Amino acid sequence: MAIGPVQLIVLGFNHPDFHGEVIAELERLRESDTVRVIDALAVYKDQAGELEVEHLSNLTQSEAIELGTKIGALIGLGIDGEEGVEAGAEAGAEMAAEGINFFGDADEWDVLGDIPNDSAAALILLEHHWAVPLRDAIARAGGFRVSDGFISPLDLVGIGLMTAAEARELHEMETAAAAKS
C-alpha cells in the first residue's frame, strides 16, 4: 500500500470528549478523502503522571487489522498493559537498531512527557491524502523535506494573512484550555 505524508498531532485537553465533535470532524475529513487516520489514541494522565491509554479511531475493522497500533510503536508506548509497553518499546528499539531515528537527535520529542499531569491528549497519526501528488512531484523534481510545523495565528499578522484582532481571537481559542490548567 502506498502511503501519503504522515503527521503525528498531539492535542491536549483538560476535560476531553474524544467521541464527540473531534471524532465527527475526523470522519468528515476521511469521507472527503482529505486525510486518513492511521491510528488515534487517547492518553489520560492522572495527577501523579500515571497513564491510561484508550484506542480511538475512525478506521474500518480491516484497516485497523492491517495497520495495527502504529503510534505505540512510533513513540515506544504499548497498549496492552506491561506486555504492550514492552512490545512498543521493543518495536522502537528495533527500528533504532536498524539506524532509523524517528525524531532525530536534535528533534527528539517526548510526546508523553509533554502531556501535563491531570489532563489528557489525543494522539492522532494522520496520512495526508491531499498531499500525495504534491509530494510525488517534489520528489520527481529532486526536492526533499527540510522541516515543517504549524504557524501560530499571531505570526500571521506580520505577513498580512490575519488582522491582530482575528489572530488574538484564534490564539485565545487554541490556548484557552491550556491556560485553565
Side-chain angles (χ1 to χ4, degrees), residues 120-178:
L123 282 63
I124 304 169
L125 195 61
L126 291 177
E127 176 188 8
H128 291 274
H129 280 234
W130 64 269
V132 171
L134 176 61
R135 180 210 49 204
D136 293 349
I138 290 168
R140 285 190 299 272
F144 54 92
R145 183 181 65 84
V146 173
S147 184
D148 56 66
F150 286 107
I151 307 299
S152 167
L154 300 175
D155 295 326
L156 299 177
V157 175
I159 61 172
L161 287 178
M162 297 185 109
T163 67
E166 290 169 331
R168 270 193 305 277
E169 183 179 330
L170 187 54
H171 178 73
E172 288 172 7
M173 181 179 73
E174 288 179 349
T175 60

Short mmCIF file of all heavy atoms in Angstrom, two decimals, residues 120-178:
data_model
loop_
_atom_site.label_atom_id
_atom_site.label_comp_id
_atom_site.label_asym_id
_atom_site.label_seq_id
_atom_site.Cartn_x
_atom_site.Cartn_y
_atom_site.Cartn_z
N ALA A 120 -5.44 15.19 29.53
CA ALA A 120 -5.47 14.12 28.54
C ALA A 120 -4.99 14.68 27.21
O ALA A 120 -4.89 15.89 27.02
CB ALA A 120 -6.90 13.59 28.39
N ALA A 121 -4.67 13.78 26.31
CA ALA A 121 -4.26 14.18 24.96
C ALA A 121 -4.79 13.18 23.96
O ALA A 121 -4.92 11.99 24.26
CB ALA A 121 -2.74 14.27 24.86
N ALA A 122 -5.10 13.69 22.79
CA ALA A 122 -5.42 12.83 21.66
C ALA A 122 -4.17 12.80 20.80
O ALA A 122 -3.66 13.86 20.41
CB ALA A 122 -6.60 13.39 20.88
N LEU A 123 -3.66 11.62 20.55
CA LEU A 123 -2.51 11.43 19.66
C LEU A 123 -3.07 10.89 18.36
O LEU A 123 -3.66 9.80 18.35
CB LEU A 123 -1.51 10.45 20.24
CG LEU A 123 -0.58 10.95 21.35
CD1 LEU A 123 -1.33 11.37 22.59
CD2 LEU A 123 0.46 9.93 21.66
N ILE A 124 -2.94 11.65 17.30
CA ILE A 124 -3.56 11.30 16.03
C ILE A 124 -2.48 11.20 14.96
O ILE A 124 -1.75 12.17 14.71
CB ILE A 124 -4.62 12.34 15.63
CG1 ILE A 124 -5.66 12.49 16.74
CG2 ILE A 124 -5.28 11.95 14.31
CD1 ILE A 124 -6.60 13.67 16.56
N LEU A 125 -2.36 10.04 14.36
CA LEU A 125 -1.41 9.82 13.27
C LEU A 125 -2.22 9.91 11.97
O LEU A 125 -3.06 9.06 11.69
CB LEU A 125 -0.75 8.45 13.42
CG LEU A 125 0.49 8.18 12.59
CD1 LEU A 125 1.62 9.16 12.93
CD2 LEU A 125 0.97 6.75 12.80
N LEU A 126 -1.98 10.99 11.21
CA LEU A 126 -2.75 11.27 10.00
C LEU A 126 -1.93 11.03 8.75
O LEU A 126 -0.76 11.39 8.69
CB LEU A 126 -3.15 12.76 9.95
CG LEU A 126 -4.16 13.28 10.94
CD1 LEU A 126 -4.32 14.78 10.73
CD2 LEU A 126 -5.48 12.58 10.79
N GLU A 127 -2.57 10.46 7.76
CA GLU A 127 -1.99 10.41 6.42
C GLU A 127 -2.68 11.50 5.61
O GLU A 127 -3.90 11.57 5.54
CB GLU A 127 -2.25 9.05 5.77
CG GLU A 127 -1.76 9.00 4.35
CD GLU A 127 -2.19 7.74 3.62
OE1 GLU A 127 -2.98 6.95 4.16
OE2 GLU A 127 -1.72 7.55 2.49
N HIS A 128 -1.89 12.37 5.01
CA HIS A 128 -2.43 13.48 4.22
C HIS A 128 -2.59 13.04 2.76
O HIS A 128 -1.66 13.14 1.97
CB HIS A 128 -1.49 14.69 4.31
CG HIS A 128 -1.46 15.31 5.67
ND1 HIS A 128 -2.38 16.25 6.06
CD2 HIS A 128 -0.65 15.12 6.72
CE1 HIS A 128 -2.12 16.63 7.30
NE2 HIS A 128 -1.08 15.94 7.73
N HIS A 129 -3.79 12.55 2.42
CA HIS A 129 -4.06 12.12 1.04
C HIS A 129 -3.91 13.26 0.06
O HIS A 129 -3.39 13.07 -1.04
CB HIS A 129 -5.49 11.56 0.94
CG HIS A 129 -5.63 10.17 1.43
ND1 HIS A 129 -6.17 9.18 0.66
CD2 HIS A 129 -5.30 9.58 2.60
CE1 HIS A 129 -6.19 8.05 1.34
NE2 HIS A 129 -5.66 8.28 2.53
N TRP A 130 -4.35 14.44 0.44
CA TRP A 130 -4.32 15.60 -0.46
C TRP A 130 -2.90 15.92 -0.91
O TRP A 130 -2.70 16.49 -1.98
CB TRP A 130 -4.93 16.83 0.23
CG TRP A 130 -4.13 17.28 1.43
CD1 TRP A 130 -4.30 16.89 2.72
CD2 TRP A 130 -3.00 18.16 1.42
NE1 TRP A 130 -3.35 17.47 3.53
CE2 TRP A 130 -2.54 18.26 2.76
CE3 TRP A 130 -2.32 18.87 0.44
CZ2 TRP A 130 -1.45 19.04 3.12
CZ3 TRP A 130 -1.24 19.65 0.81
CH2 TRP A 130 -0.81 19.73 2.14
N ALA A 131 -1.89 15.56 -0.11
CA ALA A 131 -0.52 15.95 -0.39
C ALA A 131 0.25 14.94 -1.23
O ALA A 131 1.39 15.20 -1.62
CB ALA A 131 0.23 16.19 0.92
N VAL A 132 -0.33 13.79 -1.53
CA VAL A 132 0.39 12.75 -2.27
C VAL A 132 0.88 13.25 -3.63
O VAL A 132 2.07 13.12 -3.93
CB VAL A 132 -0.46 11.46 -2.40
CG1 VAL A 132 0.20 10.46 -3.35
CG2 VAL A 132 -0.68 10.84 -1.03
N PRO A 133 0.03 13.84 -4.48
CA PRO A 133 0.54 14.30 -5.78
C PRO A 133 1.62 15.38 -5.64
O PRO A 133 2.60 15.38 -6.40
CB PRO A 133 -0.71 14.87 -6.47
CG PRO A 133 -1.86 14.24 -5.78
CD PRO A 133 -1.42 14.01 -4.37
N LEU A 134 1.47 16.27 -4.67
CA LEU A 134 2.48 17.30 -4.44
C LEU A 134 3.79 16.69 -3.98
O LEU A 134 4.87 17.02 -4.50
CB LEU A 134 1.97 18.32 -3.40
CG LEU A 134 2.96 19.40 -2.99
CD1 LEU A 134 3.35 20.25 -4.20
CD2 LEU A 134 2.37 20.25 -1.88
N ARG A 135 3.73 15.77 -3.02
CA ARG A 135 4.94 15.09 -2.54
C ARG A 135 5.66 14.38 -3.66
O ARG A 135 6.87 14.48 -3.82
CB ARG A 135 4.57 14.09 -1.45
CG ARG A 135 5.82 13.35 -0.92
CD ARG A 135 5.59 11.96 -0.43
NE ARG A 135 4.85 11.11 -1.32
CZ ARG A 135 4.17 10.06 -0.91
NH1 ARG A 135 4.12 9.76 0.37
NH2 ARG A 135 3.52 9.30 -1.77
N ASP A 136 4.89 13.67 -4.50
CA ASP A 136 5.49 12.91 -5.60
C ASP A 136 6.13 13.85 -6.63
O ASP A 136 7.21 13.56 -7.15
CB ASP A 136 4.46 12.00 -6.24
CG ASP A 136 4.00 10.89 -5.30
OD1 ASP A 136 4.63 10.70 -4.22
OD2 ASP A 136 3.02 10.21 -5.63
N ALA A 137 5.48 14.97 -6.91
CA ALA A 137 6.04 15.94 -7.86
C ALA A 137 7.33 16.54 -7.31
O ALA A 137 8.30 16.72 -8.05
CB ALA A 137 5.02 17.04 -8.15
N ILE A 138 7.35 16.82 -6.02
CA ILE A 138 8.56 17.36 -5.39
C ILE A 138 9.70 16.34 -5.47
O ILE A 138 10.83 16.69 -5.82
CB ILE A 138 8.27 17.75 -3.93
CG1 ILE A 138 7.35 18.98 -3.90
CG2 ILE A 138 9.56 18.02 -3.15
CD1 ILE A 138 6.75 19.29 -2.53
N ALA A 139 9.39 15.08 -5.19
CA ALA A 139 10.42 14.03 -5.25
C ALA A 139 10.95 13.87 -6.68
O ALA A 139 12.16 13.73 -6.88
CB ALA A 139 9.86 12.71 -4.74
N ARG A 140 10.05 13.90 -7.67
CA ARG A 140 10.50 13.77 -9.07
C ARG A 140 11.39 14.94 -9.48
O ARG A 140 12.26 14.80 -10.33
CB ARG A 140 9.29 13.66 -10.00
CG ARG A 140 8.60 12.31 -9.96
CD ARG A 140 7.56 12.16 -11.06
NE ARG A 140 6.49 13.15 -10.98
CZ ARG A 140 5.36 13.00 -10.27
NH1 ARG A 140 5.17 11.88 -9.59
NH2 ARG A 140 4.45 13.94 -10.25
N ALA A 141 11.17 16.09 -8.85
CA ALA A 141 11.98 17.27 -9.17
C ALA A 141 13.28 17.30 -8.34
O ALA A 141 14.04 18.26 -8.42
CB ALA A 141 11.17 18.54 -8.91
N GLY A 142 13.51 16.27 -7.53
CA GLY A 142 14.72 16.19 -6.72
C GLY A 142 14.61 16.93 -5.40
O GLY A 142 15.60 17.13 -4.71
N GLY A 143 13.41 17.31 -5.00
CA GLY A 143 13.20 18.02 -3.75
C GLY A 143 13.07 17.08 -2.58
O GLY A 143 12.86 15.88 -2.73
N PHE A 144 13.17 17.64 -1.38
CA PHE A 144 13.05 16.87 -0.15
C PHE A 144 12.57 17.78 0.98
O PHE A 144 12.73 18.99 0.93
CB PHE A 144 14.37 16.20 0.22
CG PHE A 144 15.53 17.16 0.30
CD1 PHE A 144 15.86 17.76 1.50
CD2 PHE A 144 16.27 17.46 -0.83
CE1 PHE A 144 16.92 18.65 1.58
CE2 PHE A 144 17.32 18.34 -0.77
CZ PHE A 144 17.66 18.94 0.44
N ARG A 145 12.00 17.16 2.01
CA ARG A 145 11.51 17.90 3.17
C ARG A 145 12.69 18.29 4.06
O ARG A 145 13.52 17.46 4.42
CB ARG A 145 10.53 17.05 3.98
CG ARG A 145 9.93 17.77 5.18
CD ARG A 145 8.98 16.87 5.95
NE ARG A 145 9.65 15.74 6.56
CZ ARG A 145 10.27 15.76 7.74
NH1 ARG A 145 10.30 16.85 8.44
NH2 ARG A 145 10.84 14.68 8.20
N VAL A 146 12.75 19.55 4.39
CA VAL A 146 13.77 20.04 5.30
C VAL A 146 13.18 20.19 6.69
O VAL A 146 13.77 19.78 7.68
CB VAL A 146 14.36 21.39 4.82
CG1 VAL A 146 15.30 21.98 5.85
CG2 VAL A 146 15.05 21.21 3.48
N SER A 147 11.98 20.73 6.79
CA SER A 147 11.34 20.96 8.08
C SER A 147 9.86 21.24 7.85
O SER A 147 9.43 21.48 6.72
CB SER A 147 12.00 22.14 8.79
OG SER A 147 11.45 22.31 10.08
N ASP A 148 9.07 21.20 8.91
CA ASP A 148 7.66 21.58 8.82
C ASP A 148 7.16 21.92 10.21
O ASP A 148 7.83 21.62 11.20
CB ASP A 148 6.81 20.47 8.20
CG ASP A 148 6.93 19.16 8.94
OD1 ASP A 148 6.49 19.09 10.10
OD2 ASP A 148 7.46 18.19 8.36
N GLY A 149 6.04 22.56 10.29
CA GLY A 149 5.44 22.91 11.57
C GLY A 149 4.23 23.80 11.38
O GLY A 149 4.07 24.44 10.34
N PHE A 150 3.37 23.82 12.38
CA PHE A 150 2.22 24.71 12.37
C PHE A 150 2.67 26.11 12.75
O PHE A 150 3.55 26.28 13.60
CB PHE A 150 1.14 24.23 13.34
CG PHE A 150 0.38 23.02 12.84
CD1 PHE A 150 0.60 21.79 13.41
CD2 PHE A 150 -0.55 23.13 11.83
CE1 PHE A 150 -0.09 20.66 12.96
CE2 PHE A 150 -1.24 22.03 11.38
CZ PHE A 150 -1.01 20.79 11.94
N ILE A 151 2.07 27.11 12.16
CA ILE A 151 2.39 28.51 12.43
C ILE A 151 1.31 29.09 13.33
O ILE A 151 0.12 28.93 13.07
CB ILE A 151 2.46 29.32 11.11
CG1 ILE A 151 3.42 28.67 10.11
CG2 ILE A 151 2.83 30.77 11.38
CD1 ILE A 151 4.84 28.54 10.55
N SER A 152 1.72 29.79 14.38
CA SER A 152 0.77 30.44 15.30
C SER A 152 0.02 31.53 14.56
O SER A 152 0.59 32.25 13.74
CB SER A 152 1.54 31.05 16.48
OG SER A 152 0.70 31.92 17.19
N PRO A 153 -1.27 31.69 14.87
CA PRO A 153 -2.02 32.79 14.26
C PRO A 153 -1.38 34.15 14.53
O PRO A 153 -1.46 35.05 13.70
CB PRO A 153 -3.40 32.71 14.92
CG PRO A 153 -3.47 31.40 15.57
CD PRO A 153 -2.08 30.90 15.78
N LEU A 154 -0.71 34.29 15.66
CA LEU A 154 -0.07 35.56 16.00
C LEU A 154 1.03 35.90 15.00
O LEU A 154 1.29 37.08 14.71
CB LEU A 154 0.48 35.52 17.42
CG LEU A 154 -0.56 35.27 18.52
CD1 LEU A 154 0.12 35.12 19.88
CD2 LEU A 154 -1.61 36.36 18.54
N ASP A 155 1.69 34.89 14.45
CA ASP A 155 2.75 35.12 13.47
C ASP A 155 2.21 35.50 12.10
O ASP A 155 2.95 36.00 11.25
CB ASP A 155 3.65 33.89 13.36
CG ASP A 155 4.40 33.60 14.64
OD1 ASP A 155 4.77 34.56 15.34
OD2 ASP A 155 4.61 32.40 14.95
N LEU A 156 0.93 35.24 11.86
CA LEU A 156 0.33 35.53 10.56
C LEU A 156 -0.05 37.00 10.40
O LEU A 156 -0.29 37.46 9.30
CB LEU A 156 -0.89 34.63 10.33
CG LEU A 156 -0.58 33.13 10.31
CD1 LEU A 156 -1.87 32.33 10.16
CD2 LEU A 156 0.41 32.78 9.23
N VAL A 157 -0.10 37.73 11.51
CA VAL A 157 -0.45 39.15 11.46
C VAL A 157 0.64 39.93 10.70
O VAL A 157 0.33 40.73 9.81
CB VAL A 157 -0.63 39.74 12.88
CG1 VAL A 157 -0.85 41.24 12.83
CG2 VAL A 157 -1.79 39.05 13.58
N GLY A 158 1.89 39.65 11.02
CA GLY A 158 3.00 40.38 10.43
C GLY A 158 3.12 40.21 8.93
O GLY A 158 3.72 41.06 8.26
N ILE A 159 2.55 39.15 8.39
CA ILE A 159 2.63 38.94 6.94
C ILE A 159 1.30 39.24 6.25
O ILE A 159 1.14 38.95 5.07
CB ILE A 159 3.15 37.53 6.60
CG1 ILE A 159 2.22 36.44 7.15
CG2 ILE A 159 4.57 37.34 7.10
CD1 ILE A 159 2.55 35.04 6.68
N GLY A 160 0.35 39.79 7.01
CA GLY A 160 -0.89 40.26 6.42
C GLY A 160 -1.96 39.22 6.14
O GLY A 160 -2.91 39.51 5.43
N LEU A 161 -1.84 38.01 6.70
CA LEU A 161 -2.86 36.99 6.47
C LEU A 161 -4.02 37.09 7.46
O LEU A 161 -5.08 36.53 7.21
CB LEU A 161 -2.25 35.59 6.52
CG LEU A 161 -1.39 35.22 5.33
CD1 LEU A 161 -0.80 33.82 5.51
CD2 LEU A 161 -2.20 35.27 4.03
N MET A 162 -3.80 37.77 8.58
CA MET A 162 -4.85 37.94 9.60
C MET A 162 -4.71 39.32 10.21
O MET A 162 -3.61 39.86 10.26
CB MET A 162 -4.73 36.91 10.72
CG MET A 162 -4.90 35.48 10.34
SD MET A 162 -4.88 34.41 11.80
CE MET A 162 -6.61 33.96 11.82
N THR A 163 -5.83 39.83 10.70
CA THR A 163 -5.74 41.06 11.47
C THR A 163 -5.31 40.70 12.88
O THR A 163 -5.43 39.53 13.30
CB THR A 163 -7.10 41.79 11.54
OG1 THR A 163 -8.01 40.98 12.31
CG2 THR A 163 -7.67 42.06 10.16
N ALA A 164 -4.84 41.66 13.63
CA ALA A 164 -4.42 41.41 15.01
C ALA A 164 -5.59 40.89 15.83
O ALA A 164 -5.43 39.97 16.64
CB ALA A 164 -3.84 42.68 15.63
N ALA A 165 -6.77 41.44 15.63
CA ALA A 165 -7.96 41.01 16.39
C ALA A 165 -8.31 39.55 16.05
O ALA A 165 -8.61 38.76 16.94
CB ALA A 165 -9.14 41.93 16.10
N GLU A 166 -8.27 39.20 14.75
CA GLU A 166 -8.56 37.81 14.35
C GLU A 166 -7.54 36.85 14.96
O GLU A 166 -7.91 35.78 15.45
CB GLU A 166 -8.52 37.68 12.83
CG GLU A 166 -9.64 38.38 12.10
CD GLU A 166 -9.39 38.43 10.60
OE1 GLU A 166 -8.22 38.45 10.16
OE2 GLU A 166 -10.40 38.45 9.86
N ALA A 167 -6.27 37.24 14.91
CA ALA A 167 -5.21 36.38 15.43
C ALA A 167 -5.34 36.20 16.93
O ALA A 167 -5.18 35.08 17.44
CB ALA A 167 -3.85 36.96 15.09
N ARG A 168 -5.62 37.28 17.67
CA ARG A 168 -5.80 37.16 19.12
C ARG A 168 -6.96 36.24 19.46
O ARG A 168 -6.85 35.38 20.33
CB ARG A 168 -6.03 38.55 19.74
CG ARG A 168 -4.77 39.24 20.17
CD ARG A 168 -5.05 40.46 21.05
NE ARG A 168 -5.95 41.41 20.44
CZ ARG A 168 -5.59 42.37 19.57
NH1 ARG A 168 -4.34 42.48 19.22
NH2 ARG A 168 -6.48 43.18 19.07
N GLU A 169 -8.07 36.41 18.73
CA GLU A 169 -9.24 35.57 18.99
C GLU A 169 -8.94 34.09 18.73
O GLU A 169 -9.26 33.23 19.55
CB GLU A 169 -10.41 36.03 18.10
CG GLU A 169 -11.69 35.27 18.34
CD GLU A 169 -12.83 35.75 17.45
OE1 GLU A 169 -12.86 36.95 17.09
OE2 GLU A 169 -13.69 34.92 17.13
N LEU A 170 -8.29 33.79 17.61
CA LEU A 170 -7.96 32.41 17.28
C LEU A 170 -6.92 31.85 18.25
O LEU A 170 -7.04 30.71 18.72
CB LEU A 170 -7.46 32.31 15.84
CG LEU A 170 -7.25 30.91 15.28
CD1 LEU A 170 -8.49 30.04 15.42
CD2 LEU A 170 -6.84 30.99 13.82
N HIS A 171 -5.91 32.64 18.59
CA HIS A 171 -4.88 32.20 19.54
C HIS A 171 -5.51 31.91 20.91
O HIS A 171 -5.19 30.90 21.53
CB HIS A 171 -3.79 33.27 19.67
CG HIS A 171 -2.73 32.92 20.67
ND1 HIS A 171 -1.78 31.95 20.42
CD2 HIS A 171 -2.49 33.38 21.92
CE1 HIS A 171 -1.00 31.84 21.48
NE2 HIS A 171 -1.40 32.70 22.39
N GLU A 172 -6.40 32.78 21.36
CA GLU A 172 -7.07 32.56 22.65
C GLU A 172 -7.91 31.29 22.60
O GLU A 172 -7.94 30.52 23.56
CB GLU A 172 -7.92 33.77 23.02
CG GLU A 172 -7.08 34.96 23.45
CD GLU A 172 -7.90 36.24 23.66
OE1 GLU A 172 -9.14 36.19 23.60
OE2 GLU A 172 -7.26 37.29 23.84
N MET A 173 -8.60 31.05 21.48
CA MET A 173 -9.41 29.84 21.35
C MET A 173 -8.51 28.60 21.39
O MET A 173 -8.82 27.62 22.05
CB MET A 173 -10.20 29.87 20.04
CG MET A 173 -11.10 28.66 19.85
SD MET A 173 -12.03 28.71 18.33
CE MET A 173 -10.76 28.36 17.12
N GLU A 174 -7.37 28.65 20.69
CA GLU A 174 -6.46 27.50 20.64
C GLU A 174 -5.78 27.22 21.97
O GLU A 174 -5.41 26.09 22.25
CB GLU A 174 -5.38 27.74 19.58
CG GLU A 174 -5.88 27.66 18.16
CD GLU A 174 -4.80 27.93 17.14
OE1 GLU A 174 -3.69 28.39 17.51
OE2 GLU A 174 -5.04 27.67 15.95
N THR A 175 -5.58 28.25 22.79
CA THR A 175 -4.80 28.07 24.02
C THR A 175 -5.63 28.23 25.29
O THR A 175 -5.08 28.07 26.38
CB THR A 175 -3.63 29.07 24.06
OG1 THR A 175 -4.14 30.40 24.00
CG2 THR A 175 -2.67 28.82 22.91
N ALA A 176 -6.91 28.49 25.19
CA ALA A 176 -7.76 28.74 26.37
C ALA A 176 -7.76 27.58 27.35
O ALA A 176 -7.62 27.78 28.56
CB ALA A 176 -9.18 29.07 25.95
N ALA A 177 -7.90 26.39 26.87
CA ALA A 177 -7.96 25.23 27.77
C ALA A 177 -6.62 25.03 28.48
O ALA A 177 -6.60 24.66 29.66
CB ALA A 177 -8.33 23.97 27.00
N ALA A 178 -5.51 25.30 27.82
CA ALA A 178 -4.20 25.15 28.45
C ALA A 178 -4.00 26.18 29.56
O ALA A 178 -3.37 25.90 30.57
CB ALA A 178 -3.09 25.29 27.41
#
